[in-house]
Amino acid sequence: RGVGSDVTAVRLTGNDSVRAARHDPLTGLGNRLLLREQLEEALLRQSRGRGSCALLLVDLDRFKLVNDTLGHAIGDELLCEVADRLESAVGNADVGRIGGDEFAIVVSHVEGAAELAFLADQIIARLSAPYRIGEAQLNVGATIGIAAAPAHGASHEE
């Protein structure tokens, strides 16, 4: 005797506990755990002589004001829009939400500081464009911190 069930659909859509443990439920982006793994992989490739890598930390400006004045539901929608814009802005880099209004980007194969500065400027411009959520037009900005390996550290802790 036994009980069987077809889990094909669940596996194909990725709705399993492993995916859930590594992704932000609101935005669908990778979470802190997944980003740490991606950064460790990028650092390992870098240490083997396969180019440089960088971590960009993105913090939204004026997000708290949106939550305080329009409510968390609008803030959540805004975070989802920000996530979409970030993914489209960074191409094949790994993007994740590490908490609240903070996001991180792991960039592999960095050519240099000028490339990182250009990418940061592109992200800020994209995130600073007005958002339309329901009847509200929202304006937020972004602040970005950049750490490149090996110049700023050789491990994810550094």
Side-chain angles (χ1 to χ4, degrees), residues 43-140:
L43 288 166
L44 184 60
R45 284 190 302 271
Q46 182 274 324
S47 71
R48 292 181 177 163
R50 297 184 193 152
S52 183
C53 64
L55 175 67
L56 285 73
L57 296 177
V58 181
D59 185 60
L60 297 181
D61 301 331
R62 299 182 301 277
F63 177 75
K64 185 178 182 326
L65 181 64
V66 171
N67 264 351
D68 290 347
T69 59
L70 299 174
H72 290 279
I74 298 294
D76 287 351
E77 287 187 51
L78 176 60
L79 289 173
C80 291
E81 288 289 325
V82 167
D84 290 343
R85 288 187 188 187
L86 274 173
E87 283 189 306
S88 68
V90 300
N92 63 355
D94 297 311
V95 181
R97 181 174 173 225
I98 57 176
D101 64 343
E102 298 172 345
F103 296 84
I105 303 162
V106 177
V107 182
S108 299
H109 311 294
V110 175
E111 296 296 325
E115 177 188 359
L116 289 171
F118 180 76
L119 177 61
D121 288 341
Q122 294 292 103
I123 293 168
I124 290 170
R126 177 106 20 125
L127 296 182
S128 297
Y131 296 82
R132 182 61 129 180
I133 298 179
E135 296 299 316
Q137 180 170 317
L138 307 174
N139 293 295
V140 297

